Amino acid sequence: MGKTTATTAGNELTVTRTFHASRKLVYKAWTDPKHLPMWWGPQSFTITTHELDIRPGGVWHYVMHGPDGQDYDNKMTFLEMNAPEQISYVHGDSIEEEQFRVNVTFEEQGQATLLTMRMQFKSAEILEQAVKEYGALEGAASTLSRLEDQLPAITFAQALGHTFKLERIFDAPRELVFKAFSEAEHLQKWWGPQGWTLTVCNLDFKPGGAWHYCMKCIDKNQGDFYGYESWGKAIYEEIIGGEKIVYTDYFSDSEGNESQDLPPSTTTLTFEEYEGKTRVVSLSQYRSAEALKTVVDMGMEQGITETWDRLAQHLQAVQ
């Protein structure tokens, strides 16, 4: 893991790297406009985006700023996007629309992903110039290293049937991440979307125990939600220290009684070590696809993504 290999043959440069993350997560890093500009380009380079439209026929027009103060105009036109397996695009600039073509493939290897970039230049001579004068090999390796660094910032969410899957790599040891999910003093610092806080956090973390909590919106920018309270309760079914938590949770009232308006779910959280970081996978099963659709339509994906963003910030603060 974590090593980039590059080879040249004729007018083609091939770069590969294996990431210890799911194919869908790595693919999202390439296609989410929030994340792509954060890692693209070699170390110490920054980007100013003028246009970003990630879809077949869409264009990403950006200027890359080098550490020496020099600017590089770039234009990427997306050709094909077959999620989560393949992306192809034309790379150029404002003057020359096509300097080379790129095909990126994402191959599942268990829980890891093999990424392969094949860059086809107009001639072997142009490729040689890119390698010798512009450091194409080193630049590609540095860029993919930044991609690996960006993966912990991405929460991947997927709804399938009546199961909702979330995945994220947190830049913290597994023991600490597990504590963040299992100790009240941690949960009070990060649980809930941006602009919300826990006003009640009664936790009995053991099989058969319960967590009864209340979230309150404290951000006036949330409009109609400002001051709104939301109660919930989780019943723990299985706990394996540092590795796994299984619980059934539901919206409740202040007494802990289950709400009949919104569907409950059973969630399995797993914690896996990854090079000093922790990969967390959450699988929430609902009683039906219709029940899952109800909570997705309420904005569950955004809410959990924001919650896990807060967890990442909390983990950085306590290390």
Side-chain angles (χ1 to χ4, degrees):
M1 306 292 178
K3 181 180 179 181
T4 300
T5 62
T7 58
T8 60
N11 67 332
E12 189 168 280
L13 168 62
T14 301
V15 181
T16 63
R17 188 177 180 116
T18 299
F19 298 91
H20 193 78
S22 73
R23 179 168 63 172
K24 292 183 176 68
L25 184 66
V26 180
Y27 184 88
K28 182 175 181 179
W30 280 78
T31 56
D32 189 326
K34 177 175 132 183
H35 292 287
L36 178 57
M38 299 300 294
W39 62 267
W40 189 260
Q43 295 286 351
S44 301
F45 281 70
T46 59
I47 283 177
T48 298
T49 294
H50 297 294
E51 179 183 1
L52 181 53
D53 183 10
I54 306 176
R55 62 179 175 83
V59 170
W60 182 22
H61 183 203
Y62 61 94
V63 175
M64 188 177 293
H65 311 288
D68 58 357
Q70 189 165 348
D71 292 337
Y72 304 88
D73 183 66
N74 288 266
K75 187 176 181 181
M76 184 186 296
T77 303
F78 296 97
L79 302 176
E80 293 182 272
M81 303 183 73
N82 300 309
E85 301 173 0
Q86 178 258 350
I87 299 169
S88 64
Y89 60 89
V90 170
H91 195 107
D93 57 28
S94 297
I95 298 173
E96 186 180 4
E97 292 269 332
E98 181 176 341
Q99 295 170 342
F100 55 91
R101 291 194 170 219
V102 183
N103 188 61
V104 187
T105 57
F106 306 81
E107 180 184 344
E108 284 185 328
Q109 294 192 334
Q111 294 184 337
T113 300
L114 173 64
L115 183 145
T116 303
M117 293 180 65
R118 290 183 173 86
M119 291 167 268
Q120 190 174 62
F121 291 77
K122 294 179 180 179
S123 69
E125 291 73 23
I126 294 175
L127 170 56
E128 184 178 7
Q129 181 184 28
V131 170
K132 290 184 176 180
E133 296 185 19
Y134 300 108
L137 300 183
E138 297 81 3
S142 183
T143 297
L144 293 186
S145 177
R146 291 184 67 192
L147 167 57
E148 184 154 35
D149 292 340
Q150 181 66 14
L151 291 176
I154 302 171
T155 299
F156 171 74
Q158 179 186 31
L160 183 63
H162 56 89
T163 301
F164 191 77
K165 179 179 180 181
L166 288 148
E167 176 185 332
R168 182 155 175 168
I169 300 168
F170 291 96
D171 192 3
R174 182 170 66 170
E175 180 181 0
L176 177 59
V177 178
F178 190 86
K179 283 184 177 181
F181 279 88
S182 59
E183 295 182 0
E185 63 182 278
H186 287 286
L187 286 163
Q188 288 174 322
K189 300 291 181 58
W190 66 269
W191 187 265
Q194 298 290 347
W196 294 70
T197 189
L198 280 185
T199 57
V200 176
C201 185
N202 298 322
L203 178 65
D204 183 15
F205 187 71
K206 65 182 181 182
W211 177 34
H212 188 212
Y213 61 90
C214 178
M215 294 189 303
K216 184 174 182 178
C217 182
I218 59 172
D219 187 350
K220 292 183 179 180
N221 293 325
Q222 297 282 355
D224 292 341
F225 285 102
Y226 175 64
Y228 178 77
E229 289 187 345
S230 176
W231 288 86
K233 189 172 184 180
I235 309 298
Y236 295 103
E237 300 178 8
E238 181 182 2
I239 297 172
I240 301 176
E243 298 180 11
K244 184 179 181 182
I245 302 171
V246 181
Y247 61 91
T248 296
D249 68 332
Y250 49 83
F251 291 94
S252 74
D253 59 19
S254 60
E255 301 299 321
N257 301 306
E258 180 179 348
S259 169
Q260 300 301 310
D261 298 327
L262 297 169
S265 65
T266 298
T267 297
T268 299
L269 288 168
T270 56
F271 304 79
E272 174 192 349
E273 290 183 351
Y274 163 54
E275 298 181 358
K277 302 181 180 67
T278 304
R279 178 173 176 258
V280 178
V281 177
S282 171
L283 292 173
S284 296
Q285 292 188 323
Y286 289 80
R287 293 171 181 171
S288 66
E290 291 74 19
L292 173 56
K293 184 177 185 302
T294 297
V295 292
V296 169
D297 289 346
M298 290 174 58
M300 179 174 67
E301 180 176 346
Q302 179 180 345
I304 298 179
T305 298
E306 291 181 3
T307 298
W308 283 19
D309 284 346
R310 291 183 64 196
L311 170 57
Q313 294 167 4
H314 171 67
L315 293 169
Q316 290 300 308
V318 298
Q319 289 190 82

